[in-house]
Amino acid sequence: MLRLRAICLFSWRVFQFRPFSCEPLIIQMNKCTDEEQIFDLIERNKATLSEKQVGCAFSILWQFQKQKTSLLKNVKSVRDHPQFPTLHNLTTNKVKLMNDDTLVNVLYITQKFAVEAHDPLVQALVTEAWRRLERFDINVLSEFSSCLEDQHLHFSPLMGKIADIVNRNLGTIKDLRSLSVLMVNISSLISRHFQEQLVNKTELLFDTIDSPEVNTARRIVQFLQNIKCTYYPLLEKCNKVFLSNVSHLDLDSISKIFGLYQLLQFYSFEFMTVAKKRLTEMIPLIDHPASFVKLFVALGPLAGPEEKKQLNSTILLMSDELSRQQALAVVIAMEEMESRNSHLIKRIASVLHKHLDNYKPIELLRITQALTFLHFQSKELFVKLKELLLSYLKISVIPSEISILVCAISMLPSPHLDEVVISRTEAVLPQCNLKYLNSFATSVLRWIQYDHMCLDSITGKQLKLLQKLDCYGHQRLQQSNNLGLLWKELKSLKGDWIPESLLEETIYALQRLMDEINYINVAEIASFISRTNYLSTLLLDRIASVVVQQIEKIHPFAIPAIILPFSILNYDPPQRDEFFGTCMQHLNSYLDILDPLMLVFLGFSLATLEYFPEDVLKAIFNIKFLARLDSQLEILCSSLSRRVQFRLMELNRAVCLECPEFQIPWFHDRFCQQQYNKDIGSMNGAQQQICKMLAEVLGGINCVKALILTPYYHTVDFECILDKRKKPFPYGSHNITLGKLPQMHCESNTQIVGSRLPPGAERIALEFLDSQAFCRNIPHLKGKSAMKKRHLEILGYRVIQIPPFEWNSMALSTKDARMDYLRDHIFGESKS
């Protein structure tokens, strides 16, 4: 009886305290509802836990964390649990027994629980994974590579070994998701050839999958950004995935995609439009500062007036809660938004000021740039900012960091160049590439511009430093022997230093290496030439030749950038018809999907070259396209929007004047009236002097008109009329007084001028051109000025374009010489 009672008591205890003991431990773990139950099972079964069971315990603990919202997740509470060391030690002892999946999964989860990389468990897992590396399947290999990436081992020999395995097995890989993970993680280590192989393999796999995942597409875009490759076919495919899944994209995903597109300079009007709608819907739903800052940064530059008002008012309420990184993100976004909300600017600047000591040099530069652009003024903040920048500069030895610091200091409201800036700059010059030399030169030029007096000793030091920069720049260019390496230094250059000091040497270097121009870099080289205003027929002929020979390898979206320098510089290559014909034939099937912005710029570029393909004009001048363009203009910054509108107007004008057979209507009267009412003002002093000289030459002030608006809104500096006997024809009493605003030339602005002249008379337009109308290196008229001359001639003018290098020459240094010059051009044989 006593034995029976003892057995019953024992059974009752087992039933009470170990209710699942009759089930396998993994099943018991899967039935647990929180971390405490898992750790309880681990404690009670630590003597018998297998490698599968410890792996299961890690997986379930991580599942509990994944199921929580971001605000409730607390991996620290798991890692610091009293029973976590038990699980940790058990796992360490069973590493060698784990299968491949469990091994890498446990490593992944330990990192998610913030276990340090030097921890014995992490080291044991990594070591064992390295030993098995060759036998890992593609899924396990990709997850392991992510673990190494999380440990910042992207340059390690182990990651190099993974890259080698991927390279050897690339032909057999069929899982695009896993391959995309590997591509991102090994991107820092692979050769250009391997990069191209991965791009081709990815494109091939992409076409075999019905619906790739958003995360897979995002990783592919990340890979392209990592290797600095704007490969349009893949970007288009990924963009289609994002567009078809936009309703499922969260704030983080949209923010990441925007960031990647910006770095790749890939523009998708469709994605921006749908993403804007999706982000706008989130405004009233987000009340946490971290998330709202992310929304502000993503939506702000795209937002309309009403959305901007909502964003500004909400971020203003949250401003006191912002961290230093959040405040930095907000002020950069405000710069991009061209914000004029002085109250918000002041509040954000206050938050930045509070955290100023904790920012890195690059962050201090971004703060300086943003506050300067936003016209914020605070002596206290800028004094502290300069002190911080100088303190960093005194101890820095890295050229890139020193260039950042010098750039930031030069933007502050102080014209004085400190000795420490000069000494630190001179110390690193021998180590600098063109990018850093350009940054230093831009900063020095900014100081020289500040110091208008140019009298004290500082200016001498500035000029001496600039001479040293020029010297190192020339050496760098003369020693360049590889176009790829040279282009890496040239492509991001901004400012006036290269154009003013090194442009000729840069062009010589490109000409020396132009045999290396091919389908891969031709669009980039063309874009660079477009920015230089330097006419190199050798380079442009090489570009045209590469395009004609390798057009099938060039993506159609690169065509506008290739055509641009020919348009700007007004240059026709020897094979003009073949070159433009090849370009347009390659692009025609893409006109419907080409970004509206790009299509307008392309149409204008072709128009300056007197090339008017009907397919392009039909694609632009239709109601559907113009409605798309209007929608796009709403999400562009004001400066870019205005530029696009002007280009469309100029294209509309060119087509109406040069191709009337297309019967495209002129629809920019109202736009032009608004712009020119704002933009045209009084004559300046030089114009008034010229007007007086013309009045003397022509026999009276009533024989000359100044600041004319022609039909289709071309502006003309001065106009006169000669009758059939070459005698000046006086205007009526309505002629303008010197210095006053101009009158509209004709009542109907689209009426051709010549039709209102007396028989045999001619109307003359005198244009005093500035240096911007000509190529930088030779007196060759650029595209826009040449097109304007054509248009004025169509409108009935005889056009006299007077170059600055003639008008301001020594030969015309006296009034009499200038008067003779004007008489010769107006009454004699035209020299224009």
Side-chain angles (χ1 to χ4, degrees), residues 36 39 60 80 90 178 214 238 252 286 290 346 354 447 495 524 564 637 643 678 713 739 770:
E36 288 298 331
F39 282 125
I60 294 172
D80 294 344
L90 287 168
S178 297
V214 168
C238 293
D252 281 346
I286 299 176
K346 188 175 180 181
K354 182 172 65 176
W447 270 303
E524 294 177 322
L564 186 59
C637 66
R643 186 175 162 220
K678 291 186 295 183
Y713 294 89
D770 60 20

Side-chain angles (χ1 to χ4, degrees), residues 96-108:
K96 292 185 182 298
L97 300 174
M98 293 177 180
N99 63 33
D100 297 344
D101 285 322
T102 303
L103 178 78
V104 174
N105 190 47
V106 170
L107 175 60
Y108 172 80

Side-chain angles (χ1 to χ4, degrees), residues 366-435:
R366 292 301 291 116
I367 290 169
T368 307
Q369 288 172 329
L371 294 180
T372 302
F373 179 85
L374 296 171
H375 304 295
F376 176 75
Q377 294 180 352
S378 168
K379 183 177 179 181
E380 184 184 0
L381 188 150
F382 285 131
V383 166
K384 184 175 181 182
L385 195 51
K386 185 172 183 179
E387 288 174 356
L388 280 171
L389 291 166
L390 287 172
S391 67
Y392 276 121
L393 187 61
K394 288 174 183 176
I395 60 173
S396 180
V397 295
I398 305 170
S400 59
E401 187 173 85
I402 291 174
S403 72
I404 286 168
L405 293 165
V406 171
C407 179
I409 293 169
S410 73
M411 298 179 74
L412 294 174
S414 169
H416 300 298
L417 179 57
D418 297 78
E419 289 290 342
V420 65
V421 173
I422 295 175
S423 62
R424 300 306 298 146
T425 300
E426 290 179 336
V428 296
L429 288 185
Q431 307 169 52
C432 290
N433 62 21
L434 287 171
K435 179 181 177 181

Side-chain angles (χ1 to χ4, degrees), residues 497-713:
W497 181 57
I498 286 285
E500 294 298 333
S501 300
L502 297 181
L503 182 56
E504 199 163 90
E505 195 67 56
T506 303
I507 297 296
Y508 288 161
L510 290 173
Q511 288 177 170
R512 190 174 66 251
L513 302 170
M514 69 180 186
D515 288 344
E516 297 178 42
I517 297 177
N518 55 33
Y519 69 95
I520 295 172
N521 56 31
V522 65
E524 294 177 322
I525 300 297
S527 294
F528 177 79
I529 295 172
S530 300
R531 301 196 303 269
T532 65
N533 288 331
Y534 191 105
L535 179 57
S536 167
T537 57
L538 287 174
L539 285 174
L540 291 179
D541 289 349
R542 171 64 183 175
I543 288 170
S545 175
V546 167
V547 170
V548 170
Q549 293 172 16
Q550 303 181 28
I551 189 65
E552 294 304 322
K553 297 179 181 179
I554 298 171
H555 194 276
F557 286 3
I559 296 299
I562 291 170
I563 290 175
L564 186 59
F566 296 89
S567 164
I568 291 174
L569 299 170
N570 188 28
Y571 178 72
D572 288 333
Q575 68 273 50
R576 169 194 160 95
D577 293 340
E578 185 182 9
F579 170 61
F580 290 127
T582 300
C583 286
M584 294 319 302
Q585 186 178 359
H586 194 53
L587 187 59
N588 275 345
S589 59
Y590 286 79
L591 292 177
D592 290 339
I593 60 172
L594 192 66
D595 184 78
L597 196 81
M598 196 60 63
L599 192 53
V600 170
F601 286 139
L602 172 66
F604 175 76
S605 293
L606 294 170
T608 60
L609 291 158
E610 293 186 85
Y611 194 77
F612 297 91
E614 190 171 358
D615 289 340
V616 173
L617 298 180
K618 284 181 177 179
I620 294 173
F621 293 105
N622 65 76
I623 299 299
K624 184 179 177 182
F625 173 84
L626 294 174
R628 284 183 70 213
L629 182 63
D630 281 342
S631 299
Q632 187 177 27
L633 293 177
E634 292 176 3
I635 60 177
L636 296 178
C637 66
S638 60
S639 56
L640 181 55
S641 176
R642 189 166 182 262
R643 186 175 162 220
V644 175
Q645 291 178 75
F646 260 100
R647 287 292 179 263
L648 181 64
M649 180 275 288
E650 290 169 320
L651 175 59
N652 186 200
R653 175 170 62 197
V655 175
C656 289
L657 286 170
E658 300 191 62
C659 303
E661 67 274 14
F662 289 139
Q663 295 186 332
I664 291 171
W666 167 251
F667 54 91
H668 278 91
D669 252 336
R670 186 175 178 183
F671 170 78
C672 289
Q673 287 168 11
Q674 291 172 345
Q675 296 303 319
Y676 286 108
N677 283 341
K678 291 186 295 183
D679 292 347
I680 293 186
S682 303
M683 286 190 289
N684 58 36
Q687 288 173 322
Q688 291 186 34
Q689 287 181 348
I690 293 169
C691 194
K692 288 177 181 177
M693 280 191 276
L694 283 169
E696 289 185 48
V697 167
L698 295 167
I701 193 67
N702 63 334
C703 292
V704 58
K705 268 193 171 184
L707 301 179
I708 303 301
L709 276 180
T710 74
Y712 298 99
Y713 294 89

Side-chain angles (χ1 to χ4, degrees), residues 147-160:
C147 294
L148 296 179
E149 181 68 24
D150 289 343
Q151 292 186 32
H152 307 293
L153 295 174
H154 37 275
F155 289 114
S156 67
L158 185 48
M159 192 70 88

Side-chain angles (χ1 to χ4, degrees), residues 144-277:
F144 181 53
S145 72
S146 293
C147 294
L148 296 179
E149 181 68 24
D150 289 343
Q151 292 186 32
H152 307 293
L153 295 174
H154 37 275
F155 289 114
S156 67
L158 185 48
M159 192 70 88
K161 182 65 176 174
I162 292 174
D164 178 58
I165 292 171
V166 175
N167 189 25
R168 285 187 279 114
N169 295 282
L170 189 59
T172 62
I173 295 175
K174 294 183 172 59
D175 184 345
L176 183 58
R177 188 203 67 79
S178 297
L179 179 60
S180 68
V181 174
L182 286 162
M183 287 163 58
V184 171
N185 293 331
I186 66 176
S187 58
S188 302
L189 296 170
I190 58 179
S191 67
R192 180 78 181 187
H193 178 65
F194 191 15
Q195 290 172 4
E196 292 174 6
Q197 287 182 302
L198 287 170
V199 167
N200 293 335
K201 179 69 176 182
T202 304
E203 194 172 12
L204 184 66
L205 289 178
F206 217 111
D207 294 334
T208 64
I209 299 172
D210 291 335
S211 54
E213 297 176 349
V214 168
N215 286 338
T216 299
R218 182 181 54 75
R219 282 191 292 267
I220 291 169
V221 178
Q222 176 72 66
F223 170 73
L224 292 173
Q225 193 279 314
N226 287 358
I227 65 172
K228 306 293 186 291
C229 173
T230 306
Y231 185 65
Y232 287 109
L234 261 184
L235 286 171
E236 289 169 32
K237 293 176 191 294
C238 293
N239 193 56
K240 287 179 181 177
V241 174
F242 301 144
L243 287 171
S244 59
N245 291 277
V246 72
S247 60
H248 304 297
L249 292 179
D250 59 12
L251 177 58
D252 281 346
S253 298
I254 294 173
S255 297
K256 287 175 183 174
I257 294 166
F258 273 160
L260 292 170
Y261 278 3
Q262 187 173 19
L263 290 168
L264 283 166
Q265 296 184 324
F266 176 76
Y267 188 84
S268 169
F269 165 61
E270 286 78 8
F271 181 73
M272 290 179 72
T273 302
V274 294
K276 177 190 173 184
K277 183 174 181 296

